[in-house]
Amino acid sequence: MRIHIATDHAGLDFSQTIQEHLASLGHDVIDHGPTSYDPIDDYPSFCINAAQAVVRDQQAGIEALGVVFGGSGNGEQIAANKVTGARAALVWNHSTAVLARQHNDANVISIGARQHTVEEAMALIDAFVAEPFSLEERHMRRIAQLAEYEATGAIAGHVVDPA
């Protein structure tokens, strides 16, 4: 599987270790930056680039997921979710990692590097990567509604307040 990685300065050390771990498992890992430590770097472009690459790969039929890191993971998740077709989930324990894939077909996860040890982060990523989407109708329906809203600003048959 191809796995796209991005971070900010807070997750840079994590990122290197995670990339080595994933590559050792046979994954094709692509680093979207940063390449060096800068305590005032701006994570949005790194995370957006990773999320765009995941979506692009998936649209091309390439099995791909993304992992983004930051101090808390919140901003990185928000940045990734700005990409049309990205479904980024903030993951903080085994259950959220599994459910992100199983129920939400998340294609990107975000992890707070200041919230976890690198070993915990690797376990979360491994759980996420290993878990398939359930293909349950209710989950497929909800994901389709989100995609419809993303494309049109509405969800057919549901009230979405325009105000």
Side-chain angles (χ1 to χ4, degrees):
M1 175 177 303
R2 184 173 294 162
I3 301 179
H4 296 274
I5 303 279
T7 188
D8 72 352
H9 60 278
L12 189 60
D13 289 339
F14 256 47
S15 179
Q16 298 305 314
T17 303
I18 297 297
Q19 287 180 56
E20 292 167 10
H21 170 73
L22 291 169
S24 76
L25 296 174
H27 297 292
D28 176 18
V29 181
I30 300 176
D31 183 3
H32 292 273
T35 57
S36 62
Y37 182 80
D38 178 355
I40 59 170
D41 65 8
D42 297 321
Y43 62 83
S45 62
F46 305 131
C47 296
I48 289 168
N49 288 338
Q52 285 177 328
V54 169
V55 171
R56 203 170 32 250
D57 279 352
Q58 289 180 335
Q59 289 172 343
I62 298 167
E63 191 177 20
L65 293 171
V67 180
V68 295
F69 296 98
S72 70
N74 285 310
E76 294 73 22
Q77 176 203 23
I78 291 167
N81 274 321
K82 297 299 179 186
V83 174
T84 300
R87 289 177 307 282
L90 180 64
V91 169
W92 64 90
N93 62 25
H94 180 82
S95 180
T96 58
V98 169
L99 292 172
R101 290 287 302 137
Q102 199 177 76
H103 289 189
N104 307 113
D105 198 18
N107 52 10
V108 177
I109 58 169
S110 185
I111 298 174
R114 292 182 178 145
Q115 315 304 313
H116 301 281
T117 66
V118 71
E119 292 79 15
E120 290 169 342
M122 284 190 290
L124 296 174
I125 294 164
D126 290 346
F128 174 74
V129 170
E131 188 66 31
F133 177 50
S134 71
L135 296 172
E136 288 182 36
E137 188 278 330
R138 66 187 170 121
H139 300 307
M140 292 173 57
R141 181 181 68 243
R142 294 167 185 162
I143 292 166
Q145 288 174 4
L146 292 170
E148 179 184 0
Y149 181 80
E150 190 174 55
T152 69
I155 300 173
H158 297 273
V159 176
V160 177
D161 187 359

